[in-house]
PDB file of all heavy atoms in Angstrom:
ATOM      1  N   SER Z  10       7.587   0.993 -22.962  1.00 70.00           N
ATOM      2  CA  SER Z  10       7.888  -0.426 -23.043  1.00 70.00           C
ATOM      3  C   SER Z  10       6.955  -1.122 -23.995  1.00 70.00           C
ATOM      4  O   SER Z  10       7.207  -2.185 -24.511  1.00 70.00           O
ATOM      5  CB  SER Z  10       7.814  -1.051 -21.647  1.00 70.00           C
ATOM      6  OG  SER Z  10       6.436  -1.115 -21.206  1.00 70.00           O
ATOM      7  N   GLY Z  11       5.778  -0.475 -24.301  1.00 89.00           N
ATOM      8  CA  GLY Z  11       4.895  -1.057 -25.342  1.00 89.00           C
ATOM      9  C   GLY Z  11       3.477  -1.275 -24.869  1.00 89.00           C
ATOM     10  O   GLY Z  11       2.842  -0.276 -24.528  1.00 89.00           O
ATOM     11  N   ALA Z  12       3.000  -2.487 -24.962  1.00 95.00           N
ATOM     12  CA  ALA Z  12       1.534  -2.673 -24.732  1.00 95.00           C
ATOM     13  C   ALA Z  12       1.119  -2.423 -23.287  1.00 95.00           C
ATOM     14  O   ALA Z  12       1.947  -2.568 -22.358  1.00 95.00           O
ATOM     15  CB  ALA Z  12       1.225  -4.177 -25.109  1.00 95.00           C
ATOM     16  N   MET Z  13      -0.109  -2.034 -23.129  1.00 96.00           N
ATOM     17  CA  MET Z  13      -0.683  -1.743 -21.844  1.00 96.00           C
ATOM     18  C   MET Z  13      -1.975  -2.421 -21.705  1.00 96.00           C
ATOM     19  O   MET Z  13      -2.665  -2.740 -22.752  1.00 96.00           O
ATOM     20  CB  MET Z  13      -0.896  -0.256 -21.639  1.00 96.00           C
ATOM     21  CG  MET Z  13       0.378   0.576 -21.759  1.00 96.00           C
ATOM     22  SD  MET Z  13       1.438   0.485 -20.406  1.00 96.00           S
ATOM     23  CE  MET Z  13       0.494   1.385 -19.135  1.00 96.00           C
ATOM     24  N   GLY Z  14      -2.499  -2.595 -20.474  1.00 97.00           N
ATOM     25  CA  GLY Z  14      -3.736  -3.289 -20.352  1.00 97.00           C
ATOM     26  C   GLY Z  14      -4.486  -2.966 -19.049  1.00 97.00           C
ATOM     27  O   GLY Z  14      -3.989  -2.315 -18.207  1.00 97.00           O
ATOM     28  N   TRP Z  15      -5.717  -3.345 -18.971  1.00 98.00           N
ATOM     29  CA  TRP Z  15      -6.578  -3.240 -17.819  1.00 98.00           C
ATOM     30  C   TRP Z  15      -6.979  -4.593 -17.350  1.00 98.00           C
ATOM     31  O   TRP Z  15      -7.445  -5.469 -18.149  1.00 98.00           O
ATOM     32  CB  TRP Z  15      -7.779  -2.421 -18.079  1.00 98.00           C
ATOM     33  CG  TRP Z  15      -7.561  -0.920 -18.265  1.00 98.00           C
ATOM     34  CD1 TRP Z  15      -7.349  -0.246 -19.437  1.00 98.00           C
ATOM     35  CD2 TRP Z  15      -7.360   0.104 -17.256  1.00 98.00           C
ATOM     36  NE1 TRP Z  15      -7.079   1.050 -19.227  1.00 98.00           N
ATOM     37  CE2 TRP Z  15      -7.114   1.300 -17.890  1.00 98.00           C
ATOM     38  CE3 TRP Z  15      -7.445   0.053 -15.802  1.00 98.00           C
ATOM     39  CZ2 TRP Z  15      -6.952   2.467 -17.185  1.00 98.00           C
ATOM     40  CZ3 TRP Z  15      -7.310   1.222 -15.159  1.00 98.00           C
ATOM     41  CH2 TRP Z  15      -7.004   2.427 -15.815  1.00 98.00           C
ATOM     42  N   PHE Z  16      -6.979  -4.816 -16.052  1.00 98.00           N
ATOM     43  CA  PHE Z  16      -7.482  -6.059 -15.403  1.00 98.00           C
ATOM     44  C   PHE Z  16      -8.401  -5.619 -14.338  1.00 98.00           C
ATOM     45  O   PHE Z  16      -8.431  -4.470 -13.888  1.00 98.00           O
ATOM     46  CB  PHE Z  16      -6.354  -6.892 -14.824  1.00 98.00           C
ATOM     47  CG  PHE Z  16      -5.479  -7.569 -15.831  1.00 98.00           C
ATOM     48  CD1 PHE Z  16      -4.591  -6.904 -16.616  1.00 98.00           C
ATOM     49  CD2 PHE Z  16      -5.613  -8.937 -15.953  1.00 98.00           C
ATOM     50  CE1 PHE Z  16      -3.857  -7.588 -17.557  1.00 98.00           C
ATOM     51  CE2 PHE Z  16      -4.779  -9.632 -16.881  1.00 98.00           C
ATOM     52  CZ  PHE Z  16      -3.926  -8.918 -17.734  1.00 98.00           C
ATOM     53  N   ARG Z  17      -9.217  -6.520 -13.833  1.00 98.00           N
ATOM     54  CA  ARG Z  17     -10.066  -6.244 -12.658  1.00 98.00           C
ATOM     55  C   ARG Z  17     -10.160  -7.461 -11.731  1.00 98.00           C
ATOM     56  O   ARG Z  17      -9.966  -8.585 -12.159  1.00 98.00           O
ATOM     57  CB  ARG Z  17     -11.460  -5.819 -13.141  1.00 98.00           C
ATOM     58  CG  ARG Z  17     -12.256  -6.949 -13.842  1.00 98.00           C
ATOM     59  CD  ARG Z  17     -13.553  -6.366 -14.465  1.00 98.00           C
ATOM     60  NE  ARG Z  17     -14.305  -7.378 -15.094  1.00 98.00           N
ATOM     61  CZ  ARG Z  17     -15.462  -7.157 -15.799  1.00 98.00           C
ATOM     62  NH1 ARG Z  17     -15.965  -5.880 -15.885  1.00 98.00           N
ATOM     63  NH2 ARG Z  17     -16.109  -8.097 -16.354  1.00 98.00           N
ATOM     64  N   GLN Z  18     -10.423  -7.171 -10.502  1.00 98.00           N
ATOM     65  CA  GLN Z  18     -10.628  -8.208  -9.544  1.00 98.00           C
ATOM     66  C   GLN Z  18     -11.765  -7.903  -8.620  1.00 98.00           C
ATOM     67  O   GLN Z  18     -11.786  -6.903  -7.892  1.00 98.00           O
ATOM     68  CB  GLN Z  18      -9.374  -8.356  -8.697  1.00 98.00           C
ATOM     69  CG  GLN Z  18      -9.290  -9.550  -7.716  1.00 98.00           C
ATOM     70  CD  GLN Z  18      -7.939  -9.846  -7.190  1.00 98.00           C
ATOM     71  OE1 GLN Z  18      -7.044  -9.044  -7.268  1.00 98.00           O
ATOM     72  NE2 GLN Z  18      -7.799 -11.050  -6.669  1.00 98.00           N
ATOM     73  N   ALA Z  19     -12.778  -8.809  -8.653  1.00 97.00           N
ATOM     74  CA  ALA Z  19     -13.939  -8.654  -7.800  1.00 97.00           C
ATOM     75  C   ALA Z  19     -13.687  -9.433  -6.479  1.00 97.00           C
ATOM     76  O   ALA Z  19     -12.802 -10.365  -6.478  1.00 97.00           O
ATOM     77  CB  ALA Z  19     -15.152  -9.249  -8.451  1.00 97.00           C
ATOM     78  N   PRO Z  20     -14.344  -9.132  -5.390  1.00 93.00           N
ATOM     79  CA  PRO Z  20     -14.128  -9.823  -4.176  1.00 93.00           C
ATOM     80  C   PRO Z  20     -14.312 -11.356  -4.241  1.00 93.00           C
ATOM     81  O   PRO Z  20     -15.293 -11.830  -4.813  1.00 93.00           O
ATOM     82  CB  PRO Z  20     -15.210  -9.213  -3.213  1.00 93.00           C
ATOM     83  CG  PRO Z  20     -15.497  -7.859  -3.793  1.00 93.00           C
ATOM     84  CD  PRO Z  20     -15.345  -8.014  -5.271  1.00 93.00           C
ATOM     85  N   GLY Z  21     -13.284 -12.087  -3.793  1.00 95.00           N
ATOM     86  CA  GLY Z  21     -13.371 -13.534  -3.814  1.00 95.00           C
ATOM     87  C   GLY Z  21     -13.091 -14.144  -5.162  1.00 95.00           C
ATOM     88  O   GLY Z  21     -13.260 -15.348  -5.300  1.00 95.00           O
ATOM     89  N   LYS Z  22     -12.710 -13.307  -6.162  1.00 97.00           N
ATOM     90  CA  LYS Z  22     -12.430 -13.834  -7.465  1.00 97.00           C
ATOM     91  C   LYS Z  22     -10.990 -13.593  -7.849  1.00 97.00           C
ATOM     92  O   LYS Z  22     -10.346 -12.732  -7.349  1.00 97.00           O
ATOM     93  CB  LYS Z  22     -13.381 -13.205  -8.443  1.00 97.00           C
ATOM     94  CG  LYS Z  22     -14.836 -13.671  -8.243  1.00 97.00           C
ATOM     95  CD  LYS Z  22     -15.775 -13.165  -9.406  1.00 97.00           C
ATOM     96  CE  LYS Z  22     -17.149 -13.650  -9.179  1.00 97.00           C
ATOM     97  NZ  LYS Z  22     -18.062 -13.164 -10.339  1.00 97.00           N
ATOM     98  N   GLU Z  23     -10.552 -14.296  -8.924  1.00 97.00           N
ATOM     99  CA  GLU Z  23      -9.248 -14.095  -9.436  1.00 97.00           C
ATOM    100  C   GLU Z  23      -9.247 -12.751 -10.267  1.00 97.00           C
ATOM    101  O   GLU Z  23     -10.224 -12.334 -10.807  1.00 97.00           O
ATOM    102  CB  GLU Z  23      -8.826 -15.270 -10.321  1.00 97.00           C
ATOM    103  CG  GLU Z  23      -8.632 -16.618  -9.661  1.00 97.00           C
ATOM    104  CD  GLU Z  23      -7.418 -16.630  -8.817  1.00 97.00           C
ATOM    105  OE1 GLU Z  23      -6.439 -16.089  -9.287  1.00 97.00           O
ATOM    106  OE2 GLU Z  23      -7.474 -17.173  -7.709  1.00 97.00           O
ATOM    107  N   ARG Z  24      -7.991 -12.236 -10.405  1.00 97.00           N
ATOM    108  CA  ARG Z  24      -7.785 -11.019 -11.185  1.00 97.00           C
ATOM    109  C   ARG Z  24      -8.005 -11.493 -12.695  1.00 97.00           C
ATOM    110  O   ARG Z  24      -7.380 -12.418 -13.129  1.00 97.00           O
ATOM    111  CB  ARG Z  24      -6.467 -10.447 -11.026  1.00 97.00           C
ATOM    112  CG  ARG Z  24      -6.315  -9.038 -11.705  1.00 97.00           C
ATOM    113  CD  ARG Z  24      -5.036  -8.371 -11.258  1.00 97.00           C
ATOM    114  NE  ARG Z  24      -4.973  -8.171  -9.812  1.00 97.00           N
ATOM    115  CZ  ARG Z  24      -4.029  -7.455  -9.190  1.00 97.00           C
ATOM    116  NH1 ARG Z  24      -3.044  -6.890  -9.918  1.00 97.00           N
ATOM    117  NH2 ARG Z  24      -3.982  -7.334  -7.924  1.00 97.00           N
ATOM    118  N   GLU Z  25      -8.821 -10.759 -13.417  1.00 97.00           N
ATOM    119  CA  GLU Z  25      -9.106 -11.158 -14.839  1.00 97.00           C
ATOM    120  C   GLU Z  25      -8.773 -10.067 -15.800  1.00 97.00           C
ATOM    121  O   GLU Z  25      -8.872  -8.839 -15.451  1.00 97.00           O
ATOM    122  CB  GLU Z  25     -10.573 -11.569 -14.939  1.00 97.00           C
ATOM    123  CG  GLU Z  25     -11.557 -10.453 -14.683  1.00 97.00           C
ATOM    124  CD  GLU Z  25     -12.990 -10.856 -15.049  1.00 97.00           C
ATOM    125  OE1 GLU Z  25     -13.227 -11.989 -15.529  1.00 97.00           O
ATOM    126  OE2 GLU Z  25     -13.872 -10.011 -14.812  1.00 97.00           O
ATOM    127  N   PHE Z  26      -8.467 -10.519 -16.999  1.00 98.00           N
ATOM    128  CA  PHE Z  26      -8.206  -9.571 -18.072  1.00 98.00           C
ATOM    129  C   PHE Z  26      -9.429  -8.856 -18.490  1.00 98.00           C
ATOM    130  O   PHE Z  26     -10.494  -9.445 -18.599  1.00 98.00           O
ATOM    131  CB  PHE Z  26      -7.622 -10.386 -19.266  1.00 98.00           C
ATOM    132  CG  PHE Z  26      -7.483  -9.587 -20.530  1.00 98.00           C
ATOM    133  CD1 PHE Z  26      -6.470  -8.712 -20.679  1.00 98.00           C
ATOM    134  CD2 PHE Z  26      -8.459  -9.780 -21.573  1.00 98.00           C
ATOM    135  CE1 PHE Z  26      -6.380  -7.954 -21.914  1.00 98.00           C
ATOM    136  CE2 PHE Z  26      -8.363  -9.090 -22.685  1.00 98.00           C
ATOM    137  CZ  PHE Z  26      -7.313  -8.142 -22.917  1.00 98.00           C
ATOM    138  N   VAL Z  27      -9.316  -7.524 -18.788  1.00 98.00           N
ATOM    139  CA  VAL Z  27     -10.421  -6.746 -19.329  1.00 98.00           C
ATOM    140  C   VAL Z  27     -10.140  -6.293 -20.733  1.00 98.00           C
ATOM    141  O   VAL Z  27     -10.924  -6.506 -21.637  1.00 98.00           O
ATOM    142  CB  VAL Z  27     -10.680  -5.539 -18.382  1.00 98.00           C
ATOM    143  CG1 VAL Z  27     -11.776  -4.669 -18.989  1.00 98.00           C
ATOM    144  CG2 VAL Z  27     -11.060  -5.987 -16.976  1.00 98.00           C
ATOM    145  N   ALA Z  28      -9.017  -5.575 -20.928  1.00 98.00           N
ATOM    146  CA  ALA Z  28      -8.713  -4.979 -22.249  1.00 98.00           C
ATOM    147  C   ALA Z  28      -7.207  -4.727 -22.327  1.00 98.00           C
ATOM    148  O   ALA Z  28      -6.567  -4.567 -21.300  1.00 98.00           O
ATOM    149  CB  ALA Z  28      -9.477  -3.716 -22.464  1.00 98.00           C
ATOM    150  N   ALA Z  29      -6.688  -4.668 -23.588  1.00 98.00           N
ATOM    151  CA  ALA Z  29      -5.351  -4.380 -23.837  1.00 98.00           C
ATOM    152  C   ALA Z  29      -5.153  -3.560 -25.102  1.00 98.00           C
ATOM    153  O   ALA Z  29      -6.004  -3.713 -25.980  1.00 98.00           O
ATOM    154  CB  ALA Z  29      -4.458  -5.617 -23.775  1.00 98.00           C
ATOM    155  N   ILE Z  30      -4.047  -2.883 -25.198  1.00 97.00           N
ATOM    156  CA  ILE Z  30      -3.771  -2.073 -26.428  1.00 97.00           C
ATOM    157  C   ILE Z  30      -2.283  -2.128 -26.727  1.00 97.00           C
ATOM    158  O   ILE Z  30      -1.464  -2.128 -25.776  1.00 97.00           O
ATOM    159  CB  ILE Z  30      -4.263  -0.617 -26.232  1.00 97.00           C
ATOM    160  CG1 ILE Z  30      -4.183   0.173 -27.450  1.00 97.00           C
ATOM    161  CG2 ILE Z  30      -3.528   0.033 -25.048  1.00 97.00           C
ATOM    162  CD1 ILE Z  30      -4.947   1.563 -27.330  1.00 97.00           C
ATOM    163  N   ASN Z  31      -1.966  -2.206 -28.012  1.00 95.00           N
ATOM    164  CA  ASN Z  31      -0.543  -2.232 -28.329  1.00 95.00           C
ATOM    165  C   ASN Z  31       0.056  -0.817 -28.325  1.00 95.00           C
ATOM    166  O   ASN Z  31      -0.672   0.150 -28.093  1.00 95.00           O
ATOM    167  CB  ASN Z  31      -0.312  -2.897 -29.726  1.00 95.00           C
ATOM    168  CG  ASN Z  31      -0.944  -2.141 -30.911  1.00 95.00           C
ATOM    169  OD1 ASN Z  31      -1.568  -1.132 -30.706  1.00 95.00           O
ATOM    170  ND2 ASN Z  31      -0.680  -2.638 -32.086  1.00 95.00           N
ATOM    171  N   PHE Z  32       1.300  -0.712 -28.532  1.00 91.00           N
ATOM    172  CA  PHE Z  32       1.987   0.540 -28.345  1.00 91.00           C
ATOM    173  C   PHE Z  32       1.421   1.678 -29.286  1.00 91.00           C
ATOM    174  O   PHE Z  32       1.268   2.801 -28.855  1.00 91.00           O
ATOM    175  CB  PHE Z  32       3.493   0.433 -28.598  1.00 91.00           C
ATOM    176  CG  PHE Z  32       4.216   1.759 -28.489  1.00 91.00           C
ATOM    177  CD1 PHE Z  32       4.473   2.279 -27.271  1.00 91.00           C
ATOM    178  CD2 PHE Z  32       4.666   2.410 -29.608  1.00 91.00           C
ATOM    179  CE1 PHE Z  32       5.094   3.502 -27.021  1.00 91.00           C
ATOM    180  CE2 PHE Z  32       5.305   3.695 -29.493  1.00 91.00           C
ATOM    181  CZ  PHE Z  32       5.560   4.191 -28.173  1.00 91.00           C
ATOM    182  N   SER Z  33       1.229   1.348 -30.535  1.00 91.00           N
ATOM    183  CA  SER Z  33       0.715   2.348 -31.481  1.00 91.00           C
ATOM    184  C   SER Z  33      -0.773   2.675 -31.313  1.00 91.00           C
ATOM    185  O   SER Z  33      -1.236   3.693 -31.833  1.00 91.00           O
ATOM    186  CB  SER Z  33       0.962   1.891 -32.928  1.00 91.00           C
ATOM    187  OG  SER Z  33       0.169   0.778 -33.208  1.00 91.00           O
ATOM    188  N   GLY Z  34      -1.476   1.800 -30.637  1.00 93.00           N
ATOM    189  CA  GLY Z  34      -2.910   1.984 -30.481  1.00 93.00           C
ATOM    190  C   GLY Z  34      -3.672   1.373 -31.618  1.00 93.00           C
ATOM    191  O   GLY Z  34      -4.923   1.511 -31.690  1.00 93.00           O
ATOM    192  N   SER Z  35      -3.020   0.662 -32.509  1.00 94.00           N
ATOM    193  CA  SER Z  35      -3.640   0.172 -33.743  1.00 94.00           C
ATOM    194  C   SER Z  35      -4.401  -1.176 -33.501  1.00 94.00           C
ATOM    195  O   SER Z  35      -5.177  -1.584 -34.316  1.00 94.00           O
ATOM    196  CB  SER Z  35      -2.609  -0.052 -34.823  1.00 94.00           C
ATOM    197  OG  SER Z  35      -1.681  -0.992 -34.370  1.00 94.00           O
ATOM    198  N   TYR Z  36      -4.106  -1.748 -32.367  1.00 96.00           N
ATOM    199  CA  TYR Z  36      -4.745  -3.075 -32.079  1.00 96.00           C
ATOM    200  C   TYR Z  36      -5.219  -3.111 -30.635  1.00 96.00           C
ATOM    201  O   TYR Z  36      -4.447  -2.819 -29.721  1.00 96.00           O
ATOM    202  CB  TYR Z  36      -3.775  -4.257 -32.305  1.00 96.00           C
ATOM    203  CG  TYR Z  36      -4.421  -5.589 -32.346  1.00 96.00           C
ATOM    204  CD1 TYR Z  36      -4.759  -6.175 -33.552  1.00 96.00           C
ATOM    205  CD2 TYR Z  36      -4.733  -6.263 -31.194  1.00 96.00           C
ATOM    206  CE1 TYR Z  36      -5.420  -7.398 -33.611  1.00 96.00           C
ATOM    207  CE2 TYR Z  36      -5.268  -7.528 -31.213  1.00 96.00           C
ATOM    208  CZ  TYR Z  36      -5.629  -8.091 -32.412  1.00 96.00           C
ATOM    209  OH  TYR Z  36      -6.241  -9.266 -32.481  1.00 96.00           O
ATOM    210  N   THR Z  37      -6.448  -3.492 -30.448  1.00 97.00           N
ATOM    211  CA  THR Z  37      -7.011  -3.609 -29.075  1.00 97.00           C
ATOM    212  C   THR Z  37      -7.616  -5.044 -28.938  1.00 97.00           C
ATOM    213  O   THR Z  37      -8.030  -5.638 -29.948  1.00 97.00           O
ATOM    214  CB  THR Z  37      -8.103  -2.568 -28.763  1.00 97.00           C
ATOM    215  OG1 THR Z  37      -9.116  -2.665 -29.793  1.00 97.00           O
ATOM    216  CG2 THR Z  37      -7.503  -1.201 -28.790  1.00 97.00           C
ATOM    217  N   SER Z  38      -7.709  -5.427 -27.686  1.00 97.00           N
ATOM    218  CA  SER Z  38      -8.310  -6.783 -27.367  1.00 97.00           C
ATOM    219  C   SER Z  38      -9.171  -6.594 -26.122  1.00 97.00           C
ATOM    220  O   SER Z  38      -8.840  -5.814 -25.196  1.00 97.00           O
ATOM    221  CB  SER Z  38      -7.177  -7.790 -27.121  1.00 97.00           C
ATOM    222  OG  SER Z  38      -7.745  -9.049 -26.819  1.00 97.00           O
ATOM    223  N   TYR Z  39     -10.305  -7.313 -26.086  1.00 98.00           N
ATOM    224  CA  TYR Z  39     -11.214  -7.194 -25.001  1.00 98.00           C
ATOM    225  C   TYR Z  39     -11.735  -8.548 -24.538  1.00 98.00           C
ATOM    226  O   TYR Z  39     -11.855  -9.486 -25.397  1.00 98.00           O
ATOM    227  CB  TYR Z  39     -12.477  -6.380 -25.372  1.00 98.00           C
ATOM    228  CG  TYR Z  39     -12.200  -4.986 -25.739  1.00 98.00           C
ATOM    229  CD1 TYR Z  39     -11.935  -4.624 -27.110  1.00 98.00           C
ATOM    230  CD2 TYR Z  39     -12.093  -3.950 -24.841  1.00 98.00           C
ATOM    231  CE1 TYR Z  39     -11.634  -3.315 -27.530  1.00 98.00           C
ATOM    232  CE2 TYR Z  39     -11.905  -2.626 -25.226  1.00 98.00           C
ATOM    233  CZ  TYR Z  39     -11.570  -2.317 -26.488  1.00 98.00           C
ATOM    234  OH  TYR Z  39     -11.343  -1.063 -26.892  1.00 98.00           O
TER     235      TYR Z  39
END
């Protein structure tokens, strides 16, 4: 389907963005 990502959630906090990558792997975001 394409892009994938990682999120994290600490106790008592909102789920937050950590990193993402596009389908080809040519672009990442942190």
Side-chain angles (χ1 to χ4, degrees):
S10 69
M13 302 284 292
W15 289 96
F16 286 72
R17 65 187 180 186
Q18 187 167 16
K22 295 188 177 181
E23 294 288 320
R24 190 173 299 188
E25 65 172 355
F26 169 78
V27 175
I30 187 168
N31 65 356
F32 178 75
S33 68
S35 62
Y36 193 98
T37 57
S38 182
Y39 299 91

